[in-house]
């Protein structure tokens, strides 16, 4: 990056080291990404729970119970 | 004056808002993802290295938009909660509840990234200075609002209690905003004001693109969440079984 905009290949190790601040910079973006992605995942989980509650299927619990009983035998 | 007037009150009814919100979600979710990518590209590859802070200043491209979102969303949440309380509007209260989670997440991001920026810049993870402390109080206000609402079984009573807390807590937002002017603070003052900005244009561009991405992302997740809140709260409503099926 120091040799200006003319270069096409760039030094990735230098880029990832962030001038010695890698832990702080990537830590910040990593935590932010995990939190926002976590928010989206929690919404998807909420959607699944809602769908399950709105269309209850008693058969699934029964089959699940049967398979667990088979596991014991 | 046109004779065709849009009846805005129509969309105050959850039954009419639910399908509308569903149609709007992709128009916010997709641009949000694209803007995050563009913002990160400009922030890491176009914006130059800061001569004082080196590369660590790149944290600010997420820190500053997240801090702004934490404050904006709090005010928005309080307005919705207040409307829901004053006009007995169910949907407004549901919007306040939907906004609170996203606002809390952005406030938490601003606190964590601020700490990670402060360690190399100031040499400390945390100081009890006016801006940091008032932002921590904002985080507690969000947590208080969310836990107060979830602790009351009657949803409309929970909405009213939450609205009181949200509206009283609004006083904290100007305190955060002006804290760097009112008190001696380690935190730097506003870099972007209406009259000027003290940074390279590409740095400003990265920050504004990231802010736009955070805004549009917030609208998308709030619309998704408010639809789930509607479905959870209005389980017996006949319109809902038609809309979901």
């Amino acid at each position: 990056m120091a040799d200006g905009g003319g270069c096409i290949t760039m030094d990735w190790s230098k880029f990832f080291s962030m001038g010695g601040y890698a832990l702080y910079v990537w830590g910040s973006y990593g935590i932010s990404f995990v939190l926002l992605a976590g928010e989206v995942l929690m919404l998807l989980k909420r959607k699944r729970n809602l769908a399950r509650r709105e269309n209850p299927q008693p058969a699934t619990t029964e089959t699940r119970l049967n398979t667990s009983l088979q596991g014991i035998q | 004056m046109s004779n065709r007037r849009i009846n805005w009150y129509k969309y105050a009814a959850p039954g009419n808002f639910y399908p509308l919100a569903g149609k709007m979600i992709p128009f916010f979710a997709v641009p949000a993802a694209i803007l995050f990518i563009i913002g990160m590209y400009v922030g890491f590859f176009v914006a130059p290295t800061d001569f004082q802070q080196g590369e660590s200043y790149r944290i600010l491209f997420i820190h500053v938009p997240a801090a702004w979102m934490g404050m904006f969303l709090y005010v928005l949440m309080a307005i919705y909660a207040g409307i829901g309380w004053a006009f007995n509007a169910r949907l407004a209260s549901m919007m306040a509840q939907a906004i609170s989670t996203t606002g809390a997440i952005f406030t938490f991001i601003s606190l964590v990234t601020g700490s990670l920026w402060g360690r190399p810049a100031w040499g400390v993870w945390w100081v009890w200075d006016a801006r940091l402390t008032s932002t921590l109080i904002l985080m507690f206000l969000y947590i208080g609002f969310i836990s107060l609402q979830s602790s009351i079984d009657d949803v409309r009573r929970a909405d009213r209690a939450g609205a009181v807390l949200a509206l009283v807590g609004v006083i904290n937002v100007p305190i955060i905003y002006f804290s760097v002017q009112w008190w001696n603070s380690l935190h730097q003052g506003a870099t972007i004001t209406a009259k000027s900005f003290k940074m390279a244009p590409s740095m400003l561009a990265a920050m504004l693109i990231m802010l736009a991405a955070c805004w549009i992302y917030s609208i998308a997740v709030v619309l998704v969440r408010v639809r789930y809140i509607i479905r959870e709260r209005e389980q017996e409503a006949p319109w809902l079984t038609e809309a979901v099926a």
Side-chain angles (χ1 to χ4, degrees):
Chain A
M1 284 198 287
D3 44 2
C7 70
I8 294 163
T9 53
M10 62 178 289
D11 191 349
W12 284 101
S13 66
K14 197 180 166 192
F15 173 74
F16 284 116
S17 76
M18 275 288 137
Y21 297 115
L23 180 73
Y24 305 107
V25 175
W26 300 124
S28 293
Y29 282 91
I31 289 167
S32 307
F33 179 78
V34 165
L35 284 166
L36 295 183
E39 184 181 19
V40 173
L41 286 176
M42 290 301 284
L43 283 173
L44 290 174
K45 195 182 161 199
R46 196 165 177 174
K47 186 185 186 177
R48 271 204 308 276
N49 289 344
L50 263 171
R52 206 173 292 154
R53 204 194 309 165
E54 281 159 3
N55 301 304
Q57 288 163 328
T60 40
T61 15
E62 208 177 285
T63 40
R64 207 179 291 151
L65 193 70
N66 283 342
T67 43
S68 62
L69 281 172
Q70 276 166 9
I72 293 164
Q73 289 164 356
Chain B
M1 277 290 282
S2 149
N3 288 331
R4 288 182 298 134
R5 281 179 61 221
I6 301 167
N7 183 8
W8 292 107
Y9 292 108
K10 184 187 167 190
Y11 293 107
N16 296 323
F17 183 73
Y18 184 88
L20 176 77
K23 285 194 201 97
M24 279 155 62
I25 289 161
F27 293 101
F28 293 103
V30 175
I34 294 167
L35 282 174
F36 269 126
I37 293 165
I38 296 172
M40 293 282 283
Y41 176 80
V42 176
F44 279 99
F45 297 104
V46 181
T49 306
D50 189 83
F51 77 100
Q52 273 186 326
Q53 300 173 14
E55 305 290 351
S56 75
Y57 93 97
R58 294 186 200 275
I59 295 171
L60 301 182
F61 295 138
I62 186 71
H63 170 73
V64 175
W68 282 344
M69 289 314 295
M71 290 193 286
F72 286 146
L73 289 176
Y74 189 89
V75 175
L76 200 61
M77 176 185 91
I79 291 170
Y80 271 118
I83 291 171
W85 183 27
F87 301 107
N88 202 21
R90 313 199 295 292
L91 184 61
S93 300
M94 293 185 210
M95 280 297 287
Q97 200 190 346
I99 292 166
S100 63
T101 316
T102 305
I105 288 168
F106 274 117
T107 306
F108 188 71
I109 289 175
S110 84
L111 287 169
V112 172
T113 56
S115 185
L116 283 163
W117 179 86
R119 186 69 184 87
W122 299 339
V124 286
W125 296 103
W126 181 264
V127 282
W128 291 103
D129 107 312
R131 175 154 281 184
L132 279 71
T133 309
S134 53
T135 308
L136 187 67
I137 292 169
L138 184 74
M139 185 76 227
F140 290 148
L141 283 168
Y142 275 120
I143 295 170
F145 180 86
I146 293 165
S147 36
L148 185 65
Q149 282 224 311
S150 63
S151 66
I152 303 171
D153 287 332
D154 181 344
V155 281
R156 291 305 287 155
R157 286 189 70 169
D159 288 340
R160 283 198 295 274
V164 175
L165 177 71
L167 287 168
V168 171
V170 162
I171 189 68
N172 189 42
V173 174
I175 292 175
I176 298 172
Y177 189 79
F178 292 109
S179 58
V180 285
Q181 294 173 27
W182 291 345
W183 292 284
N184 276 324
S185 175
L186 198 55
H187 197 285
Q188 64 197 72
T191 319
I192 303 165
T193 58
K195 285 179 195 145
S196 68
F197 52 90
K198 310 179 203 99
M199 60 168 107
S202 57
M203 294 182 186
L204 179 74
M207 200 163 276
L208 293 181
I209 294 166
M210 289 296 276
L211 179 68
C214 289
W215 252 121
I216 298 169
Y217 166 87
S218 302
I219 297 170
V221 288
V222 165
L223 286 176
V224 173
R225 192 178 292 111
V226 81
R227 271 163 58 94
Y228 297 157
I229 294 170
I230 292 171
R231 273 163 73 176
E232 283 160 3
R233 286 196 186 185
E234 316 229 322
Q235 281 172 45
E236 288 85 27
W239 67 266
L240 190 63
T241 40
E242 289 162 31
V244 173

